[in-house]
Amino acid sequence: MSTSRFASGARATCTAAVVLCVLLGAEPAHADVELQAAAIGGLAWTRSLPELKSASTLTAAREVRESRVAIGGSLFAVGGGVDVGLAIDDRVFLPGFGLAAYSAVGSYDTVLTSADGSIARVRPWTTYQLDFLLPGIGYRMKHRRFMFVASIRTGVSGMHMEGSIAGGEGDTLASLSGVSGLLQVELEACRRLDPVTRICAQLAPRIYDFGFMNGATLGLRVEWGR
Amino acid sequence: MMAKTSVVMTVAIGLALAASCVLGCSTSSGETVDSVAQRAETPLPARAGTVIVDGCVIDPWQRATLAGPGARRVLQEVILLCLVPRLDGTVGPRDPSTVSRLASLVADLKADGYRVHFGVAFTDETGQRYDGTQTAAFLGDPAWRTRFRDTLVTALAPADGVELDLQGLPDAARNSVTTLVTEVAQAVRPGKRLGVFVPPSVTIPSDLPGGDAFARAALSAQVYRMRIMTLDFSDLGPGPTIDPGWAVDAVRLARRDSVAVDIAYPLYGTDFGPRGRRSTTYLEAIATASSSGARIERGPTTAPFVRYSGYGNEPHELWFDDTDSTSRALAAWTHEVLPPEVGVVFYGLGAEEPALFERLGARMP
């Protein structure tokens, strides 16, 4: 009985070790792990501007508490960023860490809203967005000079914009910001320029970013790595 | 090799351009648009609605408004600010014809589904409000209070309740106010409801003259609702009649003592001129703007106002409210800001934009 239990435990341990080796690509005889780095520039589209939090603000009429401010409306932003990842066996792609910053582009209306019961105005044209990209998993395939990658990755997205809160006969400047979890799909089509450099077009629909299916990014990437 | 380098360079330049946009590629269109919560198709937070009629008579326009489907969706109670105490404490009007007409009016409004309360304004027969010190002296006299209470019960017969509108009292009248309210409560409850109009203090001690004449914690046990009169925000110079955020603070303070409170919203406007202030109506404001050729502007709280030259070329500012400013304030008072049990009391039926209640009614959930 005890021998059987030992055998069963040993089998489970071996299985786990094999799975771990496959996942990490650390099996010395076959795994080929390549570090990838990329710089990206492009557009970010937010389908609906989310509720953001206004900081506590002292107006001529009152002290407005920290509160959630409804906004709405879509926004285009432009910016860029960098990120790194790992390619395993030229097939599995593990997006790693990255950072991207975007700033609003275009012409926008002032949004009339409220903060803690006071009338407030938000200025979407002052929007900045910062994405901290975290690991994910993907797959890539090559055909001659071309490469195609599909991956899904996580992250954290932050947004900041300026506004004002009405108090009696005047307005007081206020800042609004928010942080959200991020889940996005990244679809890339690349062309190799030289053995270690590629240029890629990337489309990344955002499955969750302050809300479900709330935007996408579209950009050009320069990637380094085999 | 050159081609590849130029592609990389192009991309690098593109990235640099994108980065430069961070320094400013976006502008204001100069227009304003409503947020999700403020849009006309978004329902307003549901609240109990009351309207105050300043007088004993409802004119045909006011009657038509109350009979309309919009007002019936927004409002459940009508307060006729009608009763007045005489010098000896007797509550009027008492002449049989007026009493009969009032009873008929109340029956009419009840038939439309409204609860009707009579408000007691502490004014003389001409409508001139009693001096606060004089009112305090009345309240401090047990014989006066007894006569007031006994005659009030008779005058109230057709109504569902009574509201006490005491204004301008000295802080020292605090005990007398509590005593009066307690005695009236004992006389009229539980058959009738009792409400009291309370100044919109935002601090303890009160930031308003006479604000501490009202012991809210003691009064709350005696009354059905406290109506926090969040009106006349700009009492020193030109400005909006209400600041929605300030009104929230006044109600939050009152709610420390009582759950059953109303926030007030003005239907009237105020004309500020060198000779003082004067109450106006929406239609008067529009007519003034039209006849003087003045543009209607909007203040920070979205309340409209008109700058015009009056008699003798005197500079005037006329501040008022319309459907847009009213619905924006009501939308700003979300249930997160003020819980659903806080009601809204609209002051001055007949002074509002004619379509106000129809448009508010269309946004009621």
Side-chain angles (χ1 to χ4, degrees), chain B residues 72-90:
Chain B
R72 288 160 77 169
R73 288 197 73 182
V74 177
L75 306 169
Q76 294 81 46
E77 275 177 352
V78 177
I79 297 173
L80 297 170
L81 200 49
C82 173
L83 306 182
V84 290
R86 292 171 187 159
L87 282 178
D88 65 353
T90 305

Side-chain angles (χ1 to χ4, degrees), chain B residues 185-211:
Chain B
Q186 286 166 355
V188 304
R189 293 172 71 185
K192 310 276 184 192
R193 289 171 162 174
L194 170 62
V196 61
F197 294 5
V198 175
S201 305
V202 294
T203 58
I204 299 173
S206 176
D207 54 311
L208 300 173

